Amino acid sequence: MERARLESARPLARRPLVTLLTAAALAAPGLTALTSAARAADADLARNGGFESALDGWTCTAGTTVTSPVHSGATALKATPAGADNARCAQTVSVKPDSQYTLSGYVQGTYVYLGASGTGTTDVSTWAQSAPDWQQLTTTFRTGPSTTKVTIYTHGWYGTGAYHADDISLTGPGGETGQPPAAPGGLKTGSVTSSAVALSWSPVPGATGYAVYRDGTRVSTVTGTSTTVSGLTPSTAYSFQVTAVNDAGESARSATVTATTAQRPDDGGGSSGLPAHALVGYLHASFANGSGYTRMADVPDSWDVIDLAFGEPTSVTSGDIRFERCPVAECPNVESDAEFKAAIKAKQAAGKKVLISIGGQNGQVQLTSTAARDKFVSSVSAIIDEYGLDGLDIDFEGHSLSLNADDTDFKNPKTPVIVNLVSAVKTLKAKYGDDFVLTMAPETFFVQLGYQYYGTGKWGGQDPRAGAYLPVIHALRDDLTLLHVQDYNSGSIMGLDNQYHSMGGADFHIAMTDMLLTGFPVAGDANNVFPPLRPDQVAIGMPASTQAGNGHVSSAEVNKALNCLTRKTDCGSYATHGTWPDLRGLMTWSINWDRYSNWEFQKNFDAYFG
């Protein structure tokens, strides 16, 4: 928040590759026909190469199976690269040393690769720069004198859109495959929330990974002996099983465990006190700018949540938050403290929520120590108590939140500024109880950008702030009343369609909000998905006017975004992943700027939801 402003031919029918090779050998001069012994020795070694059994046998960073388009059979692979991931799908195959192999497959898309690594000789790959229709890729290799396993794979290219693959085969003499592992034992549940269940089990000798099943459907593959299944529905019973996998195949399934997710956390999150559709705005209470000062009593009743901007720290790392009323010299029409407090009580009596917003453009807050954490709790409590406020808005911007280089899992953060902030907010929540209202106003850089980049990245060099709000939101999702990301003052952000979206129209708000309500793999990792938020926890953040911030859109574009997200009309080029009539509403920077613009933002909200 700123102070001053804020192959076109039909595919050939499939024939066994050995048959094709044999026919070629008999017909072509200079070629020697394959002996019957050789033909018998060759086989298709790729497991589930047609993806008819979902992703069984494959390990994918960002893949799923689809029913269209397919080259043959019922399903094919669809994998979507992200900015830091090429959507690689691979499997390891047992082979014989010093033997010849042919790898082939059908692909669609832009920059699609098919290859083999670990051959013991020269690793090979082939690729299609552009394959608008199914195109076959083929390459050959010979294994080394001691090679018993090779990895075959397909992948796309970073940020270039989804690709499809089907009917992947590796033809040659089979190696010693051994036996699949035993079924895992000791499966048990851990922590259970309204949207996630933690699972753990005992290790299995010879297993290279484990497949997790929810209600009989495979939902993930992991290498360790624990995982958290997320994206679940509150107050719902689920059953879980796991299997062990290795190069030889998959074990039988484990015994079943069940868990029922916790009750929908509306009451605990403080959202029950808000109307079905709410209007949130920031009130310049500690400073003035070109919009002028607006007294609390003069805020119209349309505003359901009023965020006092801003509480700021005495120093970046002190954790000591102070809220200073705008001085008379800067705000000649400022009301007295008594009048201000009385106006807050009047708003609350009318069912409105008044919060202290911490941070803003100038208020950098870094809780680097437990002492700073504790001071944050005590100082914020003092502000809440003095003014009789309903809760807290976290508006950390700039360099307040960033991730240490070794902090790569948003579900288990270990960076002090993240851990301490989560701890502080949970302490405040425990102190004030279920009616405590908690909102957050992060920038897109700290949330939706996490679809492409998270922290410094696997190879380092990325901005450590990328996606840094995700662990905070995730840890506090059961306490969170509203998340209203600032869809303004933002660079272009990649949406779930793997296209970049920019400010200036409904499309940006639709794509950014769809990500929050659908969930997304963090940094393109399909095994590390940020779960969706409930629609009643989400509002769309917009500037109230052109003076308030970059990215202002007209009321017509605001309504297009709302129509698309709540009614699936006026959606334009972006296809949402659902329809959410319970979307909570809108947030704007700011109430003052909306007053300056004759209440255009507020009036449009009232007309739309009235």
Side-chain angles (χ1 to χ4, degrees):
M1 310 287 184
E2 295 183 290
R3 287 189 172 186
R5 60 154 192 86
L6 277 182
E7 213 161 71
S8 57
R10 180 179 302 171
L12 296 174
R14 295 178 64 204
R15 297 172 61 191
L17 186 59
V18 171
T19 302
L20 293 173
L21 290 173
T22 302
L26 292 172
L31 292 179
T32 302
L34 295 173
T35 66
S36 59
R39 290 196 300 270
D42 286 348
D44 185 357
L45 308 178
R47 178 178 171 183
N48 190 28
F51 300 97
E52 301 302 312
S53 299
L55 297 181
D56 180 39
W58 297 90
T59 299
C60 301
T61 61
T64 187
T65 53
V66 295
T67 58
S68 178
V70 298
H71 178 255
S72 72
T75 57
L77 169 71
K78 177 182 179 180
T80 306
D85 176 68
N86 60 9
R88 186 176 190 264
C89 284
Q91 66 170 268
T92 300
V93 182
S94 295
V95 295
K96 285 190 173 182
D98 197 25
S99 299
Q100 189 73 19
Y101 293 88
T102 298
L103 174 65
S104 71
Y106 288 85
V107 300
Q108 268 194 33
T110 303
Y111 296 105
V112 194
Y113 291 71
L114 178 68
S117 61
T119 63
T121 54
T122 301
D123 290 349
V124 296
S125 67
T126 182
W127 62 292
Q129 180 175 355
S130 178
D133 297 302
W134 288 109
Q135 177 177 326
Q136 187 179 31
L137 299 178
T138 303
T139 186
T140 62
F141 62 89
R142 191 170 189 86
T143 54
S146 59
T147 302
T148 59
K149 295 181 186 298
V150 299
T151 298
I152 60 174
Y153 63 84
T154 182
H155 67 73
W157 200 244
Y158 305 95
T160 57
Y163 72 88
H164 297 80
D166 201 1
D167 299 328
I168 296 175
S169 66
L170 178 67
T171 305
E176 297 296 327
T177 61
Q179 295 294 322
L187 177 63
K188 60 183 179 180
T189 62
S191 62
V192 178
T193 70
S194 63
S195 60
V197 174
L199 301 172
S200 62
W201 56 90
S202 302
V204 177
T208 57
Y210 301 89
V212 181
Y213 290 82
R214 183 191 69 209
D215 294 336
T217 300
R218 185 172 179 168
V219 293
S220 65
T221 302
V222 299
T223 56
T225 56
S226 64
T227 192
T228 297
V229 181
S230 56
L232 306 179
T233 303
S235 304
T236 302
Y238 293 93
S239 64
F240 302 94
Q241 295 170 294
V242 295
T243 61
V245 296
N246 63 13
D247 296 344
E250 184 174 0
S251 73
R253 297 185 186 183
S254 69
T256 301
V257 298
T258 61
T260 300
T261 51
Q263 184 178 354
R264 180 183 177 98
D266 287 354
D267 293 338
S271 64
S272 59
L274 294 178
H277 301 292
L279 180 61
V280 182
Y282 287 79
L283 184 67
H284 308 178
S286 62
F287 61 93
N289 60 12
S291 65
Y293 183 82
T294 300
R295 296 162 64 100
M296 175 65 73
D298 294 335
V299 176
D301 288 341
S302 296
W303 300 89
D304 301 295
V305 180
I306 303 167
D307 293 319
L308 304 180
F310 287 105
E312 299 180 359
T314 57
S315 68
V316 173
T317 59
S318 69
D320 188 1
I321 306 300
R322 304 295 174 90
F323 173 59
E324 304 291 344
R325 303 277 324 288
C326 189
V328 175
E330 188 176 352
C331 303
N333 62 323
V334 65
E335 68 270 63
S336 68
D337 281 354
E339 291 171 326
F340 186 68
K341 293 175 182 178
I344 290 173
K345 288 184 179 180
K347 291 297 180 186
Q348 293 168 329
K352 314 305 178 183
K353 305 297 181 182
V354 184
L355 316 180
I356 180 65
S357 180
I358 307 298
Q361 183 186 43
N362 297 335
Q364 304 293 295
V365 182
Q366 297 175 1
L367 304 183
T368 57
S369 65
T370 55
R373 176 201 64 192
D374 295 343
K375 189 63 179 177
F376 182 89
V377 171
S378 63
S379 60
V380 171
S381 295
I383 296 169
I384 292 173
D385 293 344
E386 179 179 356
Y387 293 96
L389 304 180
D390 296 287
L392 168 67
D393 173 67
I394 302 172
D395 185 16
F396 286 14
E397 300 182 14
H399 291 269
S400 291
L401 295 181
S402 63
L403 295 158
N404 290 350
D406 62 344
D407 199 343
T408 60
D409 182 3
F410 77 91
K411 297 175 184 175
N412 298 285
K414 48 189 176 182
T415 303
V417 297
I418 305 293
V419 174
N420 289 330
L421 176 60
V422 170
S423 175
V425 175
K426 283 188 173 292
T427 301
L428 288 166
K429 171 70 175 181
K431 177 177 180 179
Y432 291 103
D434 289 343
D435 291 334
F436 185 77
V437 178
L438 173 64
T439 66
M440 300 182 193
E443 298 166 292
T444 56
F445 190 94
F446 296 91
V447 185
Q448 289 94 336
L449 187 68
Y451 176 52
Q452 283 187 279
Y453 309 106
Y454 187 71
T456 59
K458 296 178 182 179
W459 304 281
Q462 295 176 185
D463 192 317
R465 299 173 297 165
Y469 241 98
L470 294 177
V472 179
I473 299 168
H474 186 68
L476 296 169
R477 62 174 53 237
D478 286 347
D479 300 310
L480 180 64
T481 309
L482 277 178
L483 176 72
H484 31 66
V485 176
Q486 301 177 35
D487 287 358
Y488 46 93
N489 299 333
S490 170
S492 297
I493 302 291
M494 182 179 284
L496 296 181
D497 57 353
N498 292 310
Q499 303 299 313
Y500 285 96
H501 299 270
S502 302
M503 300 183 302
D507 173 83
F508 188 69
H509 299 294
I510 294 167
M512 295 303 100
T513 307
D514 181 64
M515 295 178 77
L516 302 176
L517 297 172
T518 302
F520 54 89
V522 175
D525 185 352
N527 294 316
N528 197 29
V529 174
F530 179 78
L533 293 166
R534 304 191 319 269
D536 63 275
Q537 290 179 297
V538 176
I540 311 173
M542 302 176 171
S545 66
T546 55
Q547 300 96 330
N550 294 322
H552 174 262
V553 297
S554 68
S555 295
E557 292 299 304
V558 173
N559 293 347
K560 284 181 182 179
L562 291 171
N563 285 341
C564 180
L565 292 163
T566 66
R567 306 171 186 176
K568 216 173 184 68
T569 62
D570 285 342
C571 288
S573 62
Y574 185 90
T576 62
H577 293 76
T579 307
W580 303 277
D582 294 332
L583 180 74
R584 182 63 75 178
L586 301 178
M587 174 275 278
T588 192
W589 176 262
S590 63
I591 294 174
N592 303 61
W593 279 117
D594 195 36
R595 182 188 184 192
Y596 184 87
S597 299
N598 195 31
W599 303 112
E600 177 186 355
F601 195 89
Q602 172 207 300
K603 290 175 179 177
N604 184 65
F605 178 90
D606 289 342
Y608 189 91
F609 289 111

